[in-house]
Amino acid sequence: MQAYLVRRLFESALILLGITLVTFILLYLVPADPARQIAGRSATAETVQNIRDQLGLNDPFFIQYWRYLTALLQGDMGRSYLQRAEVSELIASRLPASLLLMLAAIVTELIFGLTIGIVAALRRNRPADHGLMIFSFVSISAPQFVIGILLLYVFAVKLGWFPIGGYGTFSHVVLPAITLGFLGAGWYSRMMRSSMIDVLGQDFVRTAQAKGLAKGRIILRHVIPNAILPIIAMIGIDIGLFMSGIVVVESVFGWPGIGQLAWQAIQRVDIPVIMGVTMVSATAIVLGNLLADFVAPMIDPRIKTK
Amino acid sequence: MSVTDTTVQKGQSRVSRASQVFVALMKRPRSAFGMVVILIMVFAAVFAPLIMPQDPFEQSFEGLSLVGAPLPPGGDFLLGTDLLGRDLASRLVLGTRTSLIIGVLANGIAILLGAGVGITAGYFGGWIGAILMRFTDLMMAFPALLLAIVLAAIFQPSLLIVALVIAMVNWVQMARVIYTETRSLAERDFIQVQRALGAGHLRILGSHLLPHLLSSILVFGTLGISTTVLLEATLSFLGVGVQPPMPSWGNIIFENQTYFNTAPWLVFFPGAAIVLLALAFNLVGDALRDILDPTLKGRH
């Protein structure tokens, strides 16, 4: 286990290093000239050239990359080209909002997903099961912007139950959280259903039945806890889905998180900010996968750690 | 075992096997629904010019109300009009073409790339396999949508570029699946025998490995179209996908989203079209997985 842990940590560090390189190459290829954007339309060629020199944009690729990497390792992600602020400050000021949204989305998808999966498994092959599974298929087939806009239309514009967008109170978080968790609810309900069906077929359940335990008690005390465990191990992997999802959800709801920051930065070619958010997202995804890798064998010792 | 009657046996001719799979798909209500939706959409895409009730690009004066607002569904315009007075139904029909072209093209490239990387890494193993799979791991850790947006922003989005961008993001899943399967197949006796007999790599790959991988490629290829359709819609919704005036379901919503509280049909109908198409491919892909590999029921 210890060797496995060390190897996975090492691999993760290499993956992050690779991501810095790939992202840097991609953004190096962006045809827009950041110096021209900073200087503005009316600036002279000389001013633009000066800004290019200041930012080090005239240096060869590998020198620029090396400078970025050594700064990054010291926790310095550079300065935003367009906002007068350090990238790390911009991200730090917006990260709490995104974390709150993701946490709320995890709660939402677990509540919906697990409930649907449990009910479907207990009503296996009956109309309720078919209906719920069709719902879960729809939820994994619906783009987040469509769900978000429809929820806004029905619950904010027409019914007025929730605000149209923004940030601050509990009612602000409800619709964005449902939108972000909708896809996951579909996946969790299908996984929970098949996990429940697996556990229901196992010997200890039959033993419990043979001992004459009440059916409700068997399901609540024995089946559900065992069926949930492998699902919980998957939460880490969700981070990858969320990191894509927040770009859309935050822009639909005007949620002031790092997804919105990334989207604004991409539109204005604010390269240091794009780099910064990509690195933070990738780190979160890698940590999420690590978490899943370590939690899974703890929960189920049959999963080997080679 | 509800699948025994439709389970496909090995060792039959390809045509009879394919027709058996087709029959099995049509016997299950969910996948039959998916197949019908796909057929209708393909029909609409191919014959779009004949089906469209109006010119999808014409900004007609009659298409707007007296105060210049889009018209609701009904009347001369079946599904209403958009902000520029263009017929929504016609734009949706033409948008079907956009979605399917990108769906098939992007997914085709993703399959070729993903299966190619997976087979190469799995069959040759060693340092080639290690490099390819570490690269695949790297791509897995990339925030997919950010990557797609950045790629789309680098190149001027055209249909082909959008398809390529989506393929660059979506090949990873296929590569992982095919890699794992190739690894276990490559160690099996019938492949080892071929190697010992001196068969060339290409012959082993083409005649002996590929046929065993086809069902996975088919299953994940079908499910992948759904992912592709959703990603295209999302990119177009953000304005970095298919560019107006060419209609795509995503960019119809992008163009009209600021008016969704007064003209909800401009979000509702294209949104429903996206969900329906993605749902159809998910239902068919899921059923294919059950039919072709009964051991993998309903997991993801």
Side-chain angles (χ1 to χ4, degrees):
Chain A
M1 185 73 190
Q2 208 119 59
Y4 174 72
L5 196 139
V6 170
R7 208 195 60 179
R8 288 286 290 121
L9 279 174
F10 181 68
E11 276 178 5
S12 304
L14 273 186
I15 285 176
L16 287 176
L17 183 68
I19 285 179
T20 60
L21 183 62
V22 173
T23 319
F24 207 86
I25 293 174
L26 284 177
L27 294 175
Y28 189 76
L29 295 174
V30 172
D33 183 355
R36 167 57 69 185
Q37 278 194 305
I38 295 167
R41 246 164 231 263
S42 54
T44 60
E46 201 187 345
T47 319
V48 175
Q49 198 54 39
N50 278 338
I51 295 175
R52 289 188 65 86
D53 278 336
Q54 267 177 23
L55 296 175
L57 294 173
N58 290 324
D59 296 335
F61 173 81
F62 275 105
I63 295 193
Q64 288 191 40
Y65 176 64
W66 183 249
R67 197 189 304 133
Y68 176 79
L69 199 62
T70 44
L72 184 68
L73 289 175
Q74 293 159 22
D76 176 9
M77 296 203 265
R79 285 184 73 83
S80 162
Y81 285 164
L82 300 169
Q83 305 185 50
R84 302 272 166 250
E86 294 284 322
V87 173
S88 48
E89 285 167 15
L90 284 173
I91 290 177
S93 70
R94 281 162 169 269
L95 204 54
S98 288
L99 289 177
L100 174 70
L101 177 58
M102 289 193 264
L103 196 68
I106 291 177
V107 173
T108 314
E109 66 183 9
L110 285 178
I111 291 175
F112 283 98
L114 297 184
T115 313
I116 291 173
I118 291 169
V119 174
L122 295 178
R123 294 273 176 278
R124 195 182 177 189
N125 290 332
R126 296 211 213 134
D129 178 25
H130 292 303
L132 289 172
M133 284 303 105
I134 287 171
F135 173 79
S136 80
F137 267 108
V138 171
S139 81
I140 61 170
S141 310
Q144 280 159 325
F145 64 93
V146 171
I147 301 297
I149 295 177
L150 287 181
L151 287 176
L152 271 178
Y153 180 70
V154 175
F155 295 103
V157 176
K158 286 289 145 186
L159 296 173
W161 292 356
F162 299 103
I164 288 183
Y167 177 68
T169 66
F170 176 75
S171 64
H172 285 100
V173 81
V174 175
L175 295 181
I178 295 176
T179 309
L180 190 58
F182 201 69
L183 174 73
W187 284 122
Y188 279 114
S189 62
R190 300 182 61 194
M191 286 190 292
M192 187 62 191
R193 178 179 178 273
S194 62
S195 180
M196 282 282 289
I197 289 172
D198 272 359
V199 176
L200 282 169
Q202 279 176 18
D203 289 341
F204 73 88
V205 176
R206 221 167 306 147
T207 311
Q209 278 166 342
K211 275 166 62 183
L213 264 99
K215 199 182 172 204
R217 195 181 156 84
I218 298 175
I219 287 167
L220 273 180
R221 299 285 292 272
H222 299 283
V223 179
I224 291 178
N226 276 293
I228 280 182
L229 287 179
I231 311 289
I232 297 298
M234 307 289 293
I235 291 176
I237 296 170
D238 276 5
I239 309 245
L241 285 180
F242 285 159
M243 283 299 165
S244 287
I246 56 171
V247 178
V248 174
V249 176
E250 292 185 356
S251 84
V252 168
F253 288 94
W255 188 264
I258 57 169
Q260 194 190 45
L261 179 70
W263 177 227
Q264 288 167 352
I266 289 169
Q267 285 172 311
R268 300 189 222 152
V269 204
D270 194 346
I271 288 173
V273 178
I274 306 177
M275 279 297 297
V277 179
T278 309
M279 286 319 297
V280 170
S281 306
T283 311
I285 294 173
V286 166
L287 286 178
N289 289 344
L290 271 178
L291 190 72
D293 281 357
F294 291 127
V295 172
M298 268 185 246
I299 288 173
D300 187 349
R302 286 169 300 183
I303 298 171
K304 269 182 259 163
T305 54
K306 22 176 186 76
Chain B
M1 294 288 107
S2 59
V3 286
T4 39
D5 56 331
T6 51
T7 305
V8 177
Q9 304 296 316
K10 288 216 170 105
Q12 292 165 309
S13 81
R14 261 183 216 149
V15 178
S16 76
R17 211 178 153 199
S19 65
Q20 235 178 337
V21 171
F22 181 78
V23 170
L25 281 176
M26 296 311 280
K27 268 189 187 165
R28 294 151 181 259
R30 281 183 209 164
S31 54
F33 171 78
M35 292 291 280
V36 171
V37 170
I38 293 170
L39 287 178
I40 293 174
M41 297 268 192
V42 169
F43 181 84
V46 172
F47 296 105
L50 302 175
I51 299 170
M52 291 185 293
Q54 318 250 353
D55 178 349
F57 298 106
E58 198 204 325
Q59 306 181 7
S60 79
F61 190 62
E62 296 86 60
L64 293 171
S65 71
L66 289 176
V67 292
L71 295 179
D76 287 345
F77 301 93
L78 187 63
L79 299 179
T81 59
D82 72 1
L83 292 186
L84 299 174
R86 296 173 297 193
D87 180 43
L88 181 61
S90 306
R91 290 186 69 73
L92 285 182
V93 172
L94 198 58
T96 315
R97 203 179 250 195
T98 317
S99 283
L100 280 176
I101 288 177
I102 291 195
V104 171
L105 196 63
N107 201 47
I109 302 169
I111 290 173
L112 284 180
L113 198 63
V117 168
I119 291 177
T120 314
Y123 178 73
F124 292 106
W127 63 269
I128 301 180
I131 290 178
L132 285 176
M133 291 325 285
R134 288 298 84 76
F135 185 65
T136 312
D137 287 344
L138 194 159
M139 296 300 288
M140 287 286 278
F142 236 110
L145 189 61
L146 275 183
L147 176 65
I149 297 173
V150 169
L151 282 172
I154 294 176
F155 307 100
Q156 285 300 319
S158 66
L159 276 191
L160 182 65
I161 293 295
V162 175
L164 277 172
V165 163
I166 294 172
M168 287 305 121
V169 174
N170 272 0
W171 62 274
V172 188
Q173 164 88 342
M174 178 67 86
R176 300 266 284 209
V177 172
I178 296 300
Y179 170 74
T180 317
E181 285 200 23
T182 310
R183 274 298 293 273
S184 71
L185 281 170
E187 283 162 17
R188 297 250 294 271
D189 289 344
F190 71 99
I191 299 292
Q192 295 297 336
V193 166
Q194 290 294 329
R195 275 190 173 173
L197 287 174
H201 290 314
L202 271 183
R203 193 183 149 75
I204 295 179
L205 286 174
S207 317
H208 299 284
L209 270 175
L210 200 57
H212 290 273
L213 298 169
L214 274 183
S215 42
S216 290
I217 294 179
L218 191 63
V219 169
F220 286 92
T222 311
L223 293 171
I225 296 185
S226 164
T227 325
T228 309
V229 167
L230 293 178
L231 193 52
E232 182 274 316
T234 303
L235 288 177
S236 298
F237 166 74
L238 291 172
V240 291
V242 179
Q243 297 298 304
M246 172 56 82
S248 117
W249 296 333
N251 78 18
I252 293 174
I253 298 179
F254 166 68
E255 287 180 307
N256 299 297
Q257 58 170 324
T258 38
Y259 294 84
F260 75 90
N261 46 5
T262 50
W265 63 90
L266 288 169
V267 172
F268 181 76
F269 290 121
I274 299 166
V275 176
L276 204 57
L277 188 59
L279 176 67
F281 281 107
N282 271 332
L283 290 173
V284 172
D286 193 67
L288 273 176
R289 172 163 38 194
D290 279 353
I291 293 164
L292 296 172
D293 190 351
T295 55
L296 280 170
K297 42 169 189 178
R299 306 286 184 78
H300 89 274

